[in-house]
Amino acid sequence: MSNPEVPVLTLDGPSGAGKGTVAGLLSKRLNWHLLDSGAIYRVLAVIAERAAVAMGDVESLIDITHSMTVTLQVDEHGKSQVLLDGADVTASIRSEACGERASEVAALPAVRQALLQCQREFHRPPGLVADGRDMGTVVFPDAIVKIYLTASAEERAYRRYKQLMEQGISGNLIALLEDINARDERDRTRAVSPLIPASDAIIVDTTGKPVEAVVDLVLSQVRRHVIFAD
Ligand code: C5P
């Protein structure tokens, strides 16, 4: 880990477990930086698509990882905005199709390796909230608190459905559930960095739990390990 003095909180888990919302709110409450690692994979997938780079062209994908500059900003409500070379790409990376492509590039071991440094650069004072699939197992194995958020597949599909509705996009609940199950399966069974809880992670099932209750639970864990000035 680059700086053992700077605390890291990792939030891993499957799609729709609430990681993004919880991570954004925690980054605001703690005033720590945020790493939405899924956004990094999504941005890579978008650039590859725009440049017509095939998923099998690992060398070109790695070249992209070296040249892209991704910035994450969190507003006062904990909502994150993703900038690629300064341009807001938040809306274009959030589609289901982009999530699918991100999951495909994320299954390539050399691509994951190439993205390690880019993700670790987010580790800066006063602290980092890192959200993804392998934050606690691979990217930040020395994190002070590791949380594995989960929820039933049905609830995760329903949350995604509501999110799409809020964005004015229509969704099909059954198709979303199938997509979530397929993506989870690919993330869990890939050879490198599969989606599994770190051996020292605290598992939190968010099914039926209000977001604030999950945030408070995680904060209480962080306070057991970090002494805050106020
Ligand atoms: O979290 P999000 O849905 O934005 O992630 C998109 C995809 O990126 C995931 O389905 C997963 O395949 C991949 N991913 C990953 N490792 C991470 C974060 C995301 O493999 N740390």
Side-chain angles (χ1 to χ4, degrees):
M1 198 155 95
S2 44
N3 185 349
E5 301 293 309
V6 179
V8 180
L9 160 66
T10 59
L11 290 169
D12 288 305
S15 323
K19 299 185 305 287
T21 310
V22 170
L25 290 169
L26 283 165
S27 128
K28 272 288 132 195
R29 295 271 288 269
L30 292 162
N31 210 13
W32 288 3
H33 297 283
L34 175 71
L35 165 61
D36 170 357
S37 59
I40 309 266
Y41 286 96
R42 284 171 185 263
V43 167
L44 172 58
V46 163
I47 303 175
E49 201 201 12
R50 284 182 189 165
V53 170
M55 287 294 140
D57 184 354
V58 176
E59 253 177 53
S60 300
L61 291 171
I62 291 174
D63 283 346
I64 298 174
T65 67
H66 292 144
S67 60
M68 67 188 204
T69 306
V70 182
T71 319
L72 295 163
Q73 288 174 348
V74 188
D75 72 13
E76 70 273 23
H77 308 294
K79 287 231 180 300
S80 65
Q81 199 186 30
V82 184
L83 307 179
L84 168 61
D85 301 323
D88 187 350
V89 291
T90 318
S92 50
I93 65 162
R94 291 293 167 218
S95 72
E96 286 304 297
C98 183
E100 274 302 308
R101 280 193 297 276
S103 166
E104 282 177 43
V105 291
L108 301 167
V111 169
R112 299 196 74 87
Q113 182 65 31
L115 283 174
L116 276 180
Q117 185 54 30
C118 155
Q119 295 176 87
R120 288 182 178 145
E121 275 164 16
F122 283 79
H123 184 204
R124 294 188 305 264
L128 176 69
V129 178
D131 141 20
R133 305 290 189 291
D134 60 344
M135 298 294 100
T137 49
V138 176
V139 185
F140 300 108
D142 299 327
I144 46 143
V145 177
K146 299 180 186 180
I147 305 288
Y148 186 88
L149 284 189
T150 184
S152 70
E154 289 71 18
E155 174 140 341
R156 291 188 288 121
Y158 184 61
R159 286 177 189 167
R160 184 68 191 130
Y161 177 77
K162 279 204 311 195
Q163 241 175 27
L164 289 173
M165 297 278 282
E166 279 160 22
Q167 293 162 15
I169 305 169
S170 63
N172 176 316
L173 201 47
I174 309 271
L176 285 171
L177 182 58
E178 280 169 5
D179 287 353
I180 276 196
N181 282 329
R183 184 126 61 97
D184 286 355
E185 180 64 14
R186 182 157 56 222
D187 290 348
R188 280 198 188 103
T189 56
R190 69 180 168 220
V192 67
S193 296
L195 170 65
I196 41 159
S199 56
D200 48 352
I202 301 162
I203 299 184
V204 178
D205 188 338
T206 66
T207 312
K209 279 200 181 72
V211 172
E212 274 308 326
V214 179
V215 169
D216 287 344
L217 192 154
V218 178
L219 272 179
S220 67
Q221 289 298 328
V222 174
R223 292 205 172 97
R224 291 175 61 177
H225 297 269
V226 182
I227 298 161
F228 293 93
D230 50 349

